[in-house]
Amino acid sequence: MAPWLPSLRRPFREWWNVWSSTPRWLASHDRRTIRIAERSTRFLNGPRLVGVSRKRLLFGRLSAHRTLCIASLQRAISDRAHPPAPFGANGRYLADHVPDATYLELPGNAHFAPEGDSDAIVDAITRFSVADRSIADRPPAERFLATVLFTDIVGSAELASRVGDAAWRDLQQKFYTLGRNALDLHRGRQIDTAGDGLFATFDGPARAIRCAATMVKEAKEMGLVLRAGLHTGEVEPSGDKVSGMGVHIGARVMAQASPGEVLVSRTVRDLVAGSGIDFEPRGAHPLKGLPGEWPLHRALT
């Protein structure tokens, strides 16, 4: 149980007990009482909490359509499973028409909350409120630093046309197996198969460069020409994948690589100083969709 649940439930129970003691004049059909109840419906329900229920629609005299205009921010709508006949399908109607509403169906046929099992209503609404608060208070996904690697098979369309679909699929599968083995050896993580290549992440740029060089060499032995691009930057987790500007930069660096080349950003070059990996400057290049020009370097491994 969430640590704040008891503290939230107590004041809510106190408020509920006060409401429960309201005299039976709520059953009146005179216009003044209906106006009072309608005003309460509008102003006593906060935007985060607590559903519009049929008890607010006094004996069917308050239109569900009118309530919709004040319920656009409500998210929980509670109702009994077997409400008395005069109240029609108001609760279900509201749940179907209020955006992102959650319908809380509770057992019984009592109309007013004090009738029947009122504890069930308190528990349901309290837990809904706590769940909503937990989502709102949840911190955003934590970004982390990673080296991203993109590879691409050069001339794949022409090769596929020359060897035929079946042979090309066989070559692709062999390349993916080659790539996964190289990633395992250098402790990389495959994220996706991007086009005719691989997209992977590493927690160390030197291992990423060596992995890319291994892929380029072994692909050549299979008769495939590979190019690779790497960049180190912050990425954001998205399920089993990652996204963010660092990913976009890595893909753009790969697009600048020549056949058989492992191309890296200056960030990667600077981070692996002292690793024994040498580089050759390839000049500054504009990267599609990114401002300015980016110095790129060819890894010599």
Side-chain angles (χ1 to χ4, degrees):
M1 177 183 295
W4 61 78
L5 183 57
S7 62
L8 178 64
R9 195 179 189 281
R10 180 177 177 181
F12 189 76
R13 165 56 72 184
E14 292 174 355
W15 172 87
W16 193 265
N17 289 338
V18 172
W19 191 93
S20 300
S21 65
T22 303
R24 289 290 179 162
W25 59 263
L26 282 175
S28 171
H29 284 227
D30 66 89
R31 292 184 179 180
R32 179 175 177 274
T33 301
I34 291 175
R35 284 198 300 270
I36 293 172
E38 185 177 21
R39 187 174 303 169
S40 298
T41 301
R42 290 178 179 172
F43 295 110
L44 294 183
N45 287 319
R48 287 175 55 81
L49 192 64
V50 175
V52 179
S53 66
R54 284 196 182 105
K55 71 176 185 297
R56 303 275 187 203
L57 306 178
L58 270 68
F59 289 89
R61 295 291 296 278
L62 292 183
S63 166
H65 298 80
R66 293 185 67 185
T67 306
L68 280 176
C69 70
I70 62 170
S72 60
L73 296 179
Q74 306 286 352
R75 295 184 225 169
I77 298 172
S78 63
D79 198 8
R80 299 291 188 178
H82 306 288
F87 306 109
N90 285 337
R92 178 67 70 179
Y93 178 87
L94 289 174
D96 290 342
H97 291 81
V98 173
D100 301 321
T102 299
Y103 183 65
L104 309 177
E105 185 173 87
L106 304 171
N109 60 1
H111 175 54
F112 286 98
E115 301 171 345
D117 184 10
S118 61
D119 284 341
I121 299 178
V122 174
D123 289 340
I125 294 176
T126 302
R127 291 186 180 279
F128 176 85
S129 172
V130 170
D132 187 63
R133 172 177 171 178
S134 298
I135 294 173
D137 293 345
R138 188 177 300 162
E142 185 175 352
R143 295 166 62 86
F144 62 93
L145 194 67
T147 298
V148 298
L149 164 65
F150 283 88
T151 69
D152 179 57
I153 299 174
V154 179
S156 57
E158 293 81 358
L159 180 59
S161 176
R162 187 170 68 249
V163 303
D165 291 341
W168 171 242
R169 283 195 299 271
D170 184 57
L171 272 175
Q172 271 188 317
Q173 293 308 312
K174 288 180 179 179
F175 168 71
Y176 292 148
T177 300
L178 174 160
R180 284 191 289 269
N181 291 339
L183 290 174
D184 290 342
L185 179 64
H186 295 90
R187 299 190 344 228
R189 182 169 77 93
Q190 179 177 316
I191 302 299
D192 201 358
T193 53
D196 296 317
L198 293 174
F199 167 32
T201 61
F202 297 79
D203 58 10
R207 286 197 305 275
I209 294 173
R210 294 189 174 102
C211 181
T214 299
M215 287 188 189
V216 169
K217 179 182 177 181
E218 294 184 358
K220 184 177 181 180
E221 295 172 358
M222 290 175 51
L224 300 175
V225 179
L226 203 66
R227 59 178 176 169
L230 298 98
H231 175 68
T232 300
E234 282 197 333
V235 298
E236 185 172 319
S238 178
D240 293 333
K241 303 188 183 300
V242 295
S243 60
M245 188 56 66
V247 174
H248 294 301
I249 296 173
R252 301 296 186 259
V253 171
M254 186 273 293
Q256 295 291 327
S258 299
E261 188 173 57
V262 177
L263 200 63
V264 307
S265 65
R266 183 168 61 185
T267 305
V268 173
R269 186 208 62 177
D270 293 346
L271 287 172
V272 299
S275 67
I277 300 175
D278 295 324
F279 297 92
E280 179 182 277
R282 284 268 272 106
H285 298 263
L287 301 183
K288 184 178 178 181
L290 300 173
E293 293 191 334
W294 294 68
L296 303 179
H297 304 266
R298 178 184 179 186
L300 304 174
T301 56

